[in-house]
Amino acid sequence: MTLDRRTLLTGLTATGAAAPLSAAYATSTPGGGFGMDVTKFRVRPNGVDDQSRALQEAINAAAGSRVPLFFPPGVYRAGDLVLPSGTHLVGVPGASRILLGYGASLAASSRAEQIVLSGLTFDGASRPLPEKRGLLTIRNTRDFVMRDCAVVSA
């Protein structure tokens, strides 16, 4: 018997083994039906107003549910965001930008676990930051991952 892709997929579907494969695909595709979309929390890409409060609500909800929070392409103005345990922020590399609007830093985490930042640009707007603070301030945080991100004008 020759085993080709169609036969394999038919067999996996019949046995129910394909479900984990499709779940893995959905979680690897931004906006592909996984996690939460930041725009569902009154956050608007390219808005001119500071969106810190709505962004914080979205971050807290997604982190509390331990699901990724997706940022569609655009600029999001914010400051003094807190990244709790379980935060997983996902954007489109080069197209999803969080711009420092006000505050001591863009985002901070302290004594948290399992934080992932992926595909986002963090923009400091060339503003001076207070001493001992960075645009992103991560302290005493376990399992911190930052990939495909850029930090600019900091």
Side-chain angles (χ1 to χ4, degrees), residues 9-85:
L9 290 175
T10 301
L12 288 173
T13 302
T15 64
L21 296 175
S22 60
Y25 174 76
T27 59
S28 67
T29 308
F34 78 101
M36 298 179 182
D37 187 313
V38 74
T39 61
K40 303 297 182 206
F41 291 87
R42 303 177 324 275
V43 176
R44 298 290 165 248
N46 303 314
V48 295
D49 296 326
D50 183 88
Q51 301 188 70
S52 299
R53 184 174 297 193
L55 273 172
Q56 190 65 61
E57 288 176 19
I59 290 168
N60 292 346
S65 298
R66 300 282 190 188
V67 297
L69 180 63
F70 177 64
F71 286 73
V75 176
Y76 303 86
R77 297 178 196 295
D80 286 338
L81 298 171
V82 176
L83 305 177
S85 292

Side-chain angles (χ1 to χ4, degrees), residues 115-139:
I115 294 179
V116 177
L117 307 175
S118 178
L120 294 165
T121 298
F122 299 97
D123 189 333
S126 298
R127 288 193 32 218
L129 299 171
E131 194 172 316
K132 297 186 180 184
R133 291 296 295 253
L135 186 60
L136 299 172
T137 302
I138 310 298
R139 294 189 173 126

Side-chain angles (χ1 to χ4, degrees), residues 71-75 91-98 118-122 147-150 152:
F71 286 73
V75 176
V92 177
S96 301
R97 178 180 300 252
I98 304 175
S118 178
L120 294 165
T121 298
F122 299 97
R147 65 176 158 253
D148 295 327
C149 290
V152 300

